[in-house]
Amino acid sequence: MTPQRDIVVMTPRLPFLLGELRRDYRVHAYWEADQLDSFFEHARQARPVVTNGVVGCPREVVDALPNVGLICVGGVGLDAVDVAHAQERGIQVTTTPGVLTADVADQAVALLLAASRQLLRGDRSIREGDWERGEDLPLTRRVSGKRAGIVGLGEIGKAIARRLSAFDMLVAYTGRREQPEQPYRFVPDMVQLAREIEVLVVSSSGGEDTRHLISVDVLEALGPQGILINIARGSVVDEEALIASLQSGKIGAAGLDVFSDEPNVPAALKALDNVILSPHAATRTVESREDISRIVLADLEAFFAGQPLVTALPKKRQR
């Protein structure tokens, strides 16, 4: 295979795609590198880098690959890619927009239902024989008709809002700006939003701008019957404050698909009955993987053929 078909793959968490990449390209597996200097020397001819939204492509990797011209992200998150730096070097960046929206929104609703109706506790009650012994579970809480707040009304946030509306929930949102064309109420102040609702769903982007956006003040405002759902990034929630709030009853429950130090989940979270834990699995569906593979492969082929990319970011995209 010619050197021009060399590519760097950043993570093994693309198993649905790796087989096709190895078939069509000479793959340099970054995660297998024992010595980075040697790895970069062998991979110096690589022009595309393929990664996902969690691992991204650190700036030092970009700078160590002199011929790189494309960072291809199998996902939508860009907080692990320095887009401005890449574009300054003339490197194109692509994502796979739209393919994860439905799955992430579905997961948010699944976590909400599981947390509110204590589905895992009920499952465990049957498996451990509690029900047969006549041991009743505590009463759970209804989801339908509750007041919900969404942090970040992007495409995923909008999809979540539509699903919550189908449960007759009253939806409000907060974000960088109001979206007047949307039918939901805009609340600019995060603490005020939390004070007015019963369910808070986090669907904002990650990165330093949103780090610990869900603070102790927000959690206290959410209150002892409040439920927090996070399908965004673990960094958006102050995890220590969340644990303390769950332990003390300052909030009622949480459903979490993301964590601060994945895959290391604090033992304190694992010990709590009022939290539902999911291993960053919102996008792990057969359908999303097929869609991601299709778009990534199309962008790679277009890049090597010198044709316009399918999903390239605008040249001056702001982070």
Side-chain angles (χ1 to χ4, degrees):
M1 196 168 290
T2 62
Q4 288 73 26
R5 301 282 286 188
D6 284 32
I7 67 173
V8 168
V9 179
M10 292 296 297
T11 171
R13 297 191 67 179
L14 297 162
F16 53 94
L17 184 56
L18 267 176
E20 292 182 81
L21 293 177
R22 292 188 189 277
R23 181 194 66 199
D24 296 335
Y25 305 99
R26 182 183 175 190
V27 170
H28 299 271
Y30 179 80
W31 72 92
E32 293 178 349
D34 293 325
Q35 299 291 331
L36 285 180
D37 288 345
S38 176
F39 172 82
F40 289 129
E41 180 60 32
H42 282 95
R44 64 180 291 104
Q45 293 301 324
R47 296 170 62 206
V49 175
V50 177
T51 186
N52 66 9
V54 175
V55 174
C57 186
R59 184 168 179 160
E60 56 268 24
V61 173
V62 173
D63 290 340
L65 295 169
N67 294 301
V68 66
L70 171 65
I71 298 173
C72 204
V73 180
V76 294
L78 285 168
D79 41 294
V81 177
D82 190 334
V83 175
H85 173 65
Q87 292 184 340
E88 284 172 4
R89 284 195 46 189
I91 299 168
Q92 298 185 83
V93 180
T94 64
T95 61
T96 54
V99 303
L100 306 178
T101 300
D103 291 334
V104 177
D106 288 352
Q107 185 82 344
V109 175
L111 289 169
L112 171 57
L113 290 169
S116 183
R117 300 304 301 270
Q118 299 184 28
L119 296 184
L120 296 188
R121 193 170 178 180
D123 178 272
R124 189 168 67 248
S125 173
I126 291 177
R127 295 178 189 277
E128 295 178 356
D130 295 345
W131 194 26
E132 294 175 2
R133 291 189 292 270
E135 298 178 20
D136 290 332
L137 291 172
L139 295 178
T140 63
R141 289 193 172 270
R142 180 183 300 160
V143 169
S144 299
K146 291 294 193 292
R147 293 162 293 154
I150 298 176
V151 181
L153 200 70
E155 291 307 308
I156 291 173
K158 293 183 181 71
I160 293 169
R162 291 193 296 270
R163 285 157 173 75
L164 299 185
S165 296
F167 282 86
D168 297 323
M169 300 183 79
L170 298 174
V171 178
Y173 71 97
T174 192
R176 291 189 177 94
R177 61 179 179 84
E178 184 175 3
Q179 301 182 47
E181 72 281 4
Q182 294 301 317
Y184 317 110
R185 187 168 60 92
F186 177 65
V187 181
D189 183 77
M190 177 81 65
V191 173
Q192 182 63 34
L193 175 67
R195 188 175 293 122
E196 295 178 1
I197 61 173
E198 295 152 295
V199 174
L200 185 63
V201 183
V202 184
S203 64
S204 64
S205 60
E208 284 304 311
D209 290 346
T210 58
R211 180 174 176 77
H212 290 184
L213 188 64
I214 308 304
S215 63
V216 64
D217 291 340
V218 173
L219 295 169
E220 287 183 357
L222 186 56
Q225 303 303 330
I227 298 175
L228 176 74
I229 305 297
N230 188 9
I231 45 75
R233 288 284 187 264
S235 60
V236 182
V237 174
D238 183 337
E239 197 166 76
E240 290 186 5
L242 174 61
I243 291 169
S245 297
L246 288 164
Q247 290 172 332
S248 65
K250 288 185 177 179
I251 70 168
L256 308 173
D257 189 58
V258 289
F259 305 90
S260 294
D261 183 26
E262 298 175 3
N264 304 303
V265 177
L269 278 177
K270 296 178 186 178
L272 291 168
D273 273 338
N274 58 341
V275 60
I276 303 295
L277 307 174
S278 172
H280 205 143
T283 65
R284 293 182 62 79
T285 67
V286 171
E287 293 84 356
S288 72
R289 291 335 194 215
E290 290 173 347
D291 290 341
I292 287 173
S293 295
R294 172 177 50 80
I295 295 173
V296 168
L297 292 170
D299 272 326
L300 288 172
E301 285 304 305
F303 176 76
F304 280 116
Q307 298 173 352
L309 301 178
V310 179
T311 59
L313 297 181
K315 288 289 180 66
K316 294 182 179 181
R317 184 182 186 281
Q318 296 298 313
R319 296 190 67 193

